């Protein structure tokens, strides 16, 4: 049995593995760039908050229509947007920082979601919502992920320049009437859309990992925005591919296996990343002293 057989045969033999791999590729292309902008805007934990916020909406959709993809997706999308709106209003009209406001709302939403699922379902349903099951992705879920990913990449391309400016210098954009609030709202909608698409495959907890870990790792290897976006997407795809193989051969849960791979890449990047890795920075500092 050669290496090529081990690497490619599961995807050649089984439809569910091909669907899972396609969904990971689409998710990587959509969520990784969004994660990069979240990181650049110092909003990394906001992604986690919104990931938890979609849980009660998805649970409500499940209670009303069962395991219906449209109902759960619509419920999660509405819940995520509602939490983002309420958190923004609380930080604007009360003396509460936006990150603290998001933390308060996401903890409440997580508890509400768990209560709703426990009342209307069982522990298996709760685990599926929290951690997903990428190996059970079907054509309808794959279509949703592909559509969201395509919309996300198109919208990010259209608003790239004002979003970059709003991330780097929001005061300047506000001073020249650059509609910074509009770009912020559009971006939050993209975050919620990608998390809703991700929870169908990876669950509400794991989808945030695919969004943020590749983005944070990529920053340790590259300085330019284009390079960070490209490396983040590549890391997400490779970790998804390796995680699926691990789940197939050694019977690991697929979603956590994928995110664990992302975490290991981050730890490796933290030490040997060519831009900000610890060992690389020590090496450059020593070379500077010698010179």
């Amino acid at each position: 049995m050669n290496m090529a057989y081990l690497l490619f045969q599961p995807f050649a033999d089984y439809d569910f593995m091909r669907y899972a791999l396609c969904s990971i590729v689409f998710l990587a292309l959509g969520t990784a760039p969004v994660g990069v902008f979240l990181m650049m805007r110092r909003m990394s934990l906001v992604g986690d908050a919104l990931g938890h916020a979609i849980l009660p909406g998805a649970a409500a959709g499940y209670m009303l229509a069962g395991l219906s993809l449209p109902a759960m997706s619509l419920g999660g999308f509405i819940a995520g947007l509602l939490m983002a709106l309420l958190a923004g209003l609380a930080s604007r009209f009360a003396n509460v920082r936006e990150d603290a406001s998001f933390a308060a709302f996401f903890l409440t939403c997580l508890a509400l979601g768990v209560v709703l699922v426990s009342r209307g379902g069982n522990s298996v349903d709760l685990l599926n919502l929290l951690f997903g099951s990428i190996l059970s992705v079907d054509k309808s879920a794959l279509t949703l992920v592909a559509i969201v990913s395509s919309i996300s990449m198109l919208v990010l391309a259209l608003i790239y320049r004002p979003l970059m400016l709003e991330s780097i210098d929001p005061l300047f954009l506000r001073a020249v009437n650059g509609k910074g609030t509009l770009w912020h709202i559009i971006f939050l909608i993209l975050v919620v859309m990608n998390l809703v698409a991700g929870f169908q495959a990876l669950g509400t907890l794991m989808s945030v990992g695919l969004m943020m870990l590749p983005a944070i790792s990529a920053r340790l290897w590259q300085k330019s925005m284009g390079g960070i976006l490209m490396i983040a997407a590549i890391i997400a795809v490779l970790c998804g591919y390796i995680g699926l193989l691990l789940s197939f051969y050694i019977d690991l849960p697929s979603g956590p296996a994928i995110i664990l791979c992302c975490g290991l890449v981050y730890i490796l990047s933290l030490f040997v990343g060519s831009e900000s890795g610890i060992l690389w920075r020590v090496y450059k500092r020593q070379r500077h002293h010698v010179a």
Side-chain angles (χ1 to χ4, degrees):
M1 188 178 295
N2 57 31
M3 185 61 68
Y5 181 90
L6 292 174
L7 292 177
F8 302 112
Q9 199 62 33
F11 304 102
D13 288 345
Y14 300 103
D15 288 339
F16 69 89
M17 290 293 287
R18 289 195 291 272
Y19 286 151
L21 181 60
C22 288
S23 66
I24 277 294
V25 172
F26 285 128
L27 283 173
L29 295 176
T31 60
V34 171
V36 170
F37 277 103
L38 279 171
M39 177 192 63
M40 295 294 292
R41 296 160 71 88
R42 295 179 175 86
M43 295 173 63
S44 298
L45 292 179
V46 170
D48 186 45
L50 290 173
H52 289 78
I54 68 176
L55 179 60
Y62 170 77
M63 292 177 67
L64 292 173
L67 289 173
S68 167
L69 179 63
M72 294 173 66
S73 299
L74 181 62
F77 182 71
I78 292 173
L81 283 184
L82 185 61
M83 199 213 78
L85 176 63
L86 291 175
L89 290 175
S91 63
R92 182 176 294 269
F93 295 107
N95 188 25
V96 181
R97 288 174 56 90
E98 189 175 30
D99 58 342
S101 181
F102 268 103
F105 277 107
F106 102 74
L107 290 170
T108 305
C109 288
L110 177 61
L112 176 60
V114 173
V115 169
L116 288 176
V117 176
S118 63
R119 295 283 294 179
N122 53 50
S123 59
V124 176
D125 299 324
L126 177 59
L127 288 174
N128 282 336
L129 283 175
L130 290 177
F131 300 105
S133 180
I134 196 168
L135 296 182
S136 64
V137 168
D138 55 14
K139 288 184 179 179
S140 59
L142 183 58
T143 301
L144 172 67
V145 172
I147 291 173
V148 170
S149 177
S150 300
I151 293 174
S152 180
M153 288 188 290
L154 178 61
V155 173
L156 280 178
L158 291 174
I159 68 171
Y160 179 83
R161 294 187 66 180
L163 189 61
M164 275 291 294
L165 186 57
E166 205 264 338
S167 302
I168 297 170
D169 194 349
L171 294 178
F172 172 76
L173 193 65
R174 195 176 306 155
V176 298
N177 194 23
K179 302 178 181 178
T181 302
L182 174 63
W183 309 125
H184 184 69
I185 292 173
I186 293 174
F187 177 67
L188 286 179
I189 292 173
L190 288 181
V191 175
V192 175
M193 286 175 57
N194 279 277
L195 289 172
V196 168
F199 105 87
Q200 299 292 339
L202 296 172
T204 58
L205 298 183
M206 298 294 102
S207 59
V208 182
L210 191 67
M211 180 176 285
M212 296 310 309
L213 284 170
I216 299 170
S217 301
R219 181 63 185 88
L220 295 166
W221 291 95
Q222 260 291 338
K223 181 183 292 184
S224 69
M225 191 63 176
I228 295 172
L229 290 169
M230 182 179 66
I231 292 175
I234 292 172
I235 290 174
V237 171
L238 289 178
C239 288
Y241 176 73
I242 295 171
L244 288 175
L245 288 177
L246 290 175
S247 70
F248 182 82
Y249 284 117
I250 59 177
D251 197 26
L252 292 177
S254 52
I258 292 169
I259 305 307
L260 182 59
C261 289
C262 293
L264 292 175
V265 170
Y266 166 69
I267 293 173
L268 177 66
S269 303
L270 192 63
F271 285 96
V272 301
S274 60
E275 177 58 36
S276 302
I278 295 172
L279 297 180
W280 185 252
R281 294 181 70 176
V282 170
Y283 168 73
K284 288 194 293 186
R285 191 179 299 118
Q286 289 179 343
R287 195 172 71 170
H288 176 74
H289 287 322
V290 170

